[in-house]
Amino acid sequence: MKGVLVVAEQLRGSVRDVTRELITAAAELGGPVTVAVLGADPAALRAGVDVAGVDEIVEVRTATAEFENDVYQRAVEALIAERDPAAVLLGFTVNGMGYGPAIAAKLGLGFASDVFGLAREGGDGDRIVCRRAMYGGKVHAEVELPAGRPALIMLRPTAWPAATGPGGAKVTQATVGEPGSSRARHREFAEAPASDIDITTAEFLLSIGRGVESKDDVPYFEALARKMSATLAGSRPLIDSGWLPSARQVGQSGKTVKPKVYLALGISGAVQHLAGMKSSDLIIAVNSDPEASIFGVAHYGAVADLFDVARELEKLF
Amino acid sequence: MKIVVCVKQVLALGDEVEFTDDGRDVDPDFLELSLNEWDAHATEEALRIRERSADGAGGEVVVVTVGDESAADVLRRCLAMGADRAIRVEAGPGALADPITVARALAEPVRAEQPDLVLTGVQSSDSVQAATGTALAELLGLPRVAVVTRIDHTDGEPTAVVHRELEGGLVDVTEVDVPALLTVQTGINEPRYANLRAIKQAREKELAVVRPSPAGQPACSVRRMYAPPRGEGARMLDGEPAEIAARIAEIVKERLS
Ligand SMILES: Cc1cc2nc3c(=O)[nH]c(=O)nc-3n(C[C@H](O)[C@H](O)[C@H](O)COP(=O)(O)OP(=O)(O)OC[C@H]3O[C@@H](n4cnc5c(N)ncnc54)[C@H](O)[C@@H]3O)c2cc1C
């Protein structure tokens, strides 16, 4: 059986969690698992990927320490040519989005992203079937990738548990192609502005979404949160519109929270929102749409108008 | 300064779902059509860059989509926002099957425009692949940056400085050679509404229809679509708002006590 190539994701000197989730998925898929680690000093990142399930770590030394899409693309293309894997697994992350689809387009690979389920089929396990969502998560699809050529698959973060346990993989070094020039160059990181709001330590979050249709209603929910002794949080559209400060954003590009209670009003449950709150102890969702995906992760749900419910809640705290 | 913006007509599901007889897609009667949210931001950003650029009104914003005749609606909306011209790439069979195939259909018409900048949305709200823009950049041989929340570019300069927004909101300030393709993230701007006059004027603007180049091999194919398993789904609280609120209050108080 052909192998699986995992591309490690790293940021500022450490391997990101999604990498070890990819390793779990790769080991489940079957076949030898190779993890490619790119960096100015890839050996320093070894401990972050040398976990159970990995057969080989390929260390690729790059001129730049941080991610640049041209550099990753060149290296991964060279590894695909050299090893002819059945599948190449990347995270469905901002970095992955910057080069994964380019490789698939250039080499004519099978491709699917935001994948949360994987299986091998066919005689030699050459055909890969992925599970992913469509139409705002209201529908799931089984997607077949063509057999006979590698498949580049971008996996949804947090869909697989992170691989743990002692490793012991064989380590090899690779120099791939000419270093070449990078057409999009990392200059510096700019941190989100500091804030005295910390939604990550709150026990009770009242989180509002685009169901709150007007900026004028936001103060009402601020007051409701105070009354309920909850901390106000929100989905990205409210931060994008400037209705809430960015420190209150829950989700992939905001904060990951795990409160005792997460009460979501008028939030549909897009994958990037769920990434930030799905491991809350208790999730309660109010949404007027009975098919809203948020009900897939909530423990309690109510199909109702959020304003009607809010006005009643107000009286009870 | 010429900017091409690639936009998509997305399909949103209402409160109910039914599937086509072959079980490979949702019955179109249950879908609503609209301009992809991310693409509205990309179009707005193109208009702002044009407005800021040295040649001002002399610049051009061209919007392109792949789709059937109904998809012309999203082009009209972009024209009403202020885009100058539109191109619809006729969607042949299978043309919308996967983002790589869509990128192949877009490549020729976009290349022919010789743009200084190509913008797309980060992803479409209906298929969430976040792939078309990056794949298109490759086919056009352009440098690219995905998930951009800010674009600083002075007309005629060989580079642009953009903000690439990573997980957790961390920003990677990136310098990119131009011409380039950027995939635009929400929050970069507040898209304008078109007034009635603009909507009327949009009808006068050019909307060309071109044939796609051969689609090539699909990158994937849908075998089956189904309602997501609701195995451990939520326990639903029924009743009037007052009853729902009472149950929520009870559950919350018990948890926090
Ligand atoms: C790279 C990337 C990163 C992202 N990061 C994040 C992130 O960190 N956090 C985040 O939240 N999103 C993020 N997003 C955006 C995400 O994809 C969704 O667009 C967003 O989460 C939608 O927010 P929403 O649920 O509030 O809005 P919508 O999806 O518009 O949902 C609104 C919901 O409100 C319901 N509703 C409307 N009116 C009422 C009413 N009166 N009563 C009850 N219910 C009502 C509707 O039925 C609907 O379900 C990211 C996207 C990308 C591409």
Side-chain angles (χ1 to χ4, degrees), chain A residues 9-263:
Chain A
E9 193 154 323
Q10 53 107 354
L11 178 74
R12 300 166 126 175
S14 56
V15 174
R16 302 178 76 180
D17 291 346
V18 66
T19 306
R20 287 177 292 272
E21 298 164 16
L22 299 176
I23 291 170
T24 302
E28 272 176 30
L29 202 52
V33 175
T34 302
V35 180
V37 183
L38 281 72
D41 180 14
L45 301 167
R46 195 179 297 165
V49 296
D50 193 11
V51 291
V54 180
D55 297 292
E56 184 190 353
I57 297 168
V58 188
E59 296 178 344
V60 183
R61 188 177 292 278
T62 57
T64 45
E66 296 300 338
F67 173 86
E68 290 185 358
N69 60 45
D70 281 340
V71 175
Y72 272 63
Q73 179 173 353
R74 260 194 307 269
V76 174
E77 282 172 0
L79 290 170
I80 292 172
E82 188 184 294
R83 284 151 191 268
D84 189 29
V88 182
L89 303 184
L90 313 186
F92 185 57
T93 58
V94 173
N95 285 358
M97 290 170 193
Y99 74 105
I103 297 175
K106 180 169 174 184
L107 305 181
L109 308 182
F111 177 82
S113 71
D114 191 25
V115 166
F116 51 79
L118 276 177
R120 276 185 150 183
E121 290 184 357
D124 46 5
D126 198 22
R127 189 171 61 238
I128 295 176
V129 179
C130 303
R131 271 186 295 133
R132 61 186 315 279
M134 295 276 298
Y135 307 119
K138 290 180 175 180
V139 166
H140 285 181
E142 250 171 44
V143 176
E144 223 174 86
L145 303 183
R149 44 190 163 132
L152 191 137
I153 309 170
M154 298 174 62
L155 303 187
R156 175 183 291 187
T158 73
W160 278 266
T164 52
K170 177 175 95 179
V171 179
T172 52
Q173 268 84 24
T175 38
V176 282
E178 292 291 303
S181 65
S182 194
R183 300 167 300 170
R185 298 165 291 276
H186 164 76
R187 266 197 180 171
E188 59 180 342
F189 289 113
E191 308 283 347
S195 165
D196 49 9
I197 306 160
D198 186 3
I199 60 170
T200 64
T201 53
E203 289 204 327
F204 179 19
L205 287 177
L206 173 67
S207 194
I208 54 178
R210 191 143 51 184
V212 172
E213 275 167 31
S214 148
K215 182 176 188 172
D216 300 337
D217 287 321
V218 173
Y220 169 77
F221 290 96
E222 280 166 357
L224 179 64
R226 262 196 308 277
K227 207 149 181 246
M228 297 176 79
S229 305
T231 301
L232 190 67
S235 66
R236 181 171 178 118
L238 276 70
I239 283 79
D240 282 344
S241 311
W243 299 1
L244 287 178
S246 61
R248 296 200 190 273
Q249 183 184 323
V250 173
Q252 193 183 94
S253 52
K255 296 285 189 302
T256 300
V257 298
K258 203 176 168 302
K260 282 189 177 162
V261 180
Y262 190 85
L263 174 56

Side-chain angles (χ1 to χ4, degrees), chain A residues 94 97 208-213 234-238 249-254 265-273 286-289 292 304-307, chain B residues 37-38 122-123 147 165 185-186:
Chain A
V94 173
M97 290 170 193
I208 54 178
R210 191 143 51 184
V212 172
E213 275 167 31
S235 66
R236 181 171 178 118
L238 276 70
Q249 183 184 323
V250 173
Q252 193 183 94
S253 52
L265 305 181
I267 293 176
S268 63
V271 50
Q272 292 102 353
H273 186 82
V286 179
N287 196 303
S288 49
D289 174 4
D305 185 281
L306 72 93
F307 291 95
Chain B
E37 183 181 348
W38 281 267
V122 167
Q123 63 177 25
V147 193
E165 193 193 43
Q185 171 66 316
T186 60

Side-chain angles (χ1 to χ4, degrees), chain B residues 55-67:
Chain B
D55 51 0
E60 199 178 24
V61 173
V62 182
V63 285
V64 186
T65 196
V66 184

